[in-house]
Amino acid sequence: VSRARRVLTVSQASREGLAMLLRKHPRELAKVRVVPNAIHPFFLSACEPQPFLRDRFQIEAPYLLAVCSMNKPHKGVPDLISAFTAVKERLFADKQFSKLRLVLVGKGVEELAKRRADQTQGDIVAVGTVTGNELLNLYAGAEALVVPSLAEGFFVPVLEARAQGLNVISRPIPAVKELLCEQDLVARDFSVEALEEAILCFFKRGRIPFQVKEVLRPYLQERVVEQACKVYLEACMAEE
């Protein structure tokens, strides 16, 4: 940081983390600028879920979707499985949700789902790594996106899901909360019980629509590139 003219980070939460590390170095902290990640234009396409989802993944609505880059401890996938299993038990008598499933996307989730198969009775579908087109279709067919992580620096799947009109159910991760709007649901804390309550709350109230273009505007590629270029120009003009 001392050798850099400017430092880019993708969220206010990550900037606050840097502020803790640089609390005795105000000159270095003053170099930090926040420029968010952008949503890929591909995910802005309007989409209707295609039949191949049912044929390839044996997925039919309704389902909740969780997208993880890989199954690491901080992603919270085991907690989500526990919370979802409890939700299914509480919604057991409601025929509307008798076929509700949880769809897990990401490297390594298949093995985790297999280990918990005896508890989940086939209600959890782990599709593993998918193509961009498959993910787009999975977003389009989902009831909501669930973010069970314990920590994130940014979370692009929130933007991708938002483009398809999905509400988000999330743990109270600072970097993710920056991306949310009032129509989303945030668990009261990081416990499994709180995540379960947030999911139940979503199904009690249903999906709430929002202005997709308005919410995504700060994360459009051209807007983010413009911000990044301003920081680069600022760096070029700054004194050594």
Side-chain angles (χ1 to χ4, degrees):
V1 175
S2 62
R3 293 196 299 269
R5 293 188 179 185
R6 291 294 181 268
V7 177
L8 283 175
T9 188
V10 294
S11 65
Q12 289 294 338
S14 59
R15 186 190 184 282
E16 290 171 10
L18 286 170
M20 291 292 291
L21 294 173
L22 300 173
R23 59 186 179 276
K24 295 182 180 180
H25 305 277
R27 187 172 180 274
E28 276 66 41
L29 180 58
K31 301 175 184 179
V32 179
R33 302 289 184 270
V34 177
V35 177
N37 287 322
I39 181 172
H40 194 289
F42 173 78
F43 288 98
L44 296 172
S45 308
C47 179
E48 291 292 332
Q50 300 299 312
F52 77 80
L53 290 180
R54 180 178 64 250
D55 300 334
R56 179 168 182 181
F57 300 127
Q58 290 75 55
I59 297 172
E60 293 190 55
Y63 62 86
L64 293 173
L65 182 65
V67 180
C68 310
S69 57
M70 57 186 65
N71 181 30
K72 290 186 175 180
H74 76 278
K75 292 297 184 179
V77 178
D79 286 353
L80 175 57
I81 292 175
S82 297
F84 178 78
T85 302
V87 167
K88 282 285 292 189
E89 290 175 357
R90 293 175 66 172
L91 294 176
F92 180 77
D94 193 329
K95 292 183 179 180
Q96 180 182 356
F97 303 113
S98 62
K99 294 184 179 180
L100 178 65
R101 288 185 170 185
L102 171 64
V103 176
L104 302 174
V105 174
K107 185 178 180 181
V109 296
E110 305 98 315
E111 288 302 317
L112 179 60
K114 285 179 182 177
R115 292 198 299 270
R116 301 287 292 272
D118 59 329
Q119 304 170 35
T120 59
Q121 301 177 341
D123 291 329
I124 295 178
V125 181
V127 300
T129 305
V130 297
T131 67
N133 186 54
E134 288 168 343
L135 182 56
L136 180 63
N137 277 269
L138 286 167
Y139 284 130
E143 296 295 310
L145 177 74
V146 187
V147 185
S149 303
L150 299 170
E152 295 287 350
F154 197 86
F155 202 67
V156 172
V158 167
L159 305 182
E160 296 168 348
R162 181 81 74 228
Q164 298 304 317
L166 297 188
N167 292 149
V168 179
I169 306 165
S170 179
R171 276 176 155 169
I173 312 148
V176 174
K177 288 170 67 177
E178 292 178 33
L179 306 174
L180 304 183
C181 57
E182 62 182 13
Q183 291 84 358
D184 299 315
L185 286 164
V186 179
R188 55 181 167 78
D189 56 42
F190 284 93
S191 67
V192 173
E193 293 75 17
L195 183 58
E196 174 191 342
E197 289 172 8
I199 295 171
L200 278 170
C201 182
F202 171 78
F203 284 109
K204 287 179 180 177
R205 66 152 213 199
R207 185 187 296 189
I208 299 178
F210 55 90
Q211 296 295 321
V212 173
K213 291 183 179 180
E214 184 69 24
V215 170
L216 290 179
R217 184 173 291 115
Y219 309 101
L220 296 178
Q221 201 170 71
E222 58 270 23
R223 180 77 173 267
V224 172
V225 168
E226 180 182 352
Q227 292 180 64
C229 286
K230 285 182 179 178
V231 177
Y232 281 121
L233 180 60
E234 185 182 340
C236 291
M237 298 176 66
E239 295 182 1
E240 289 282 359

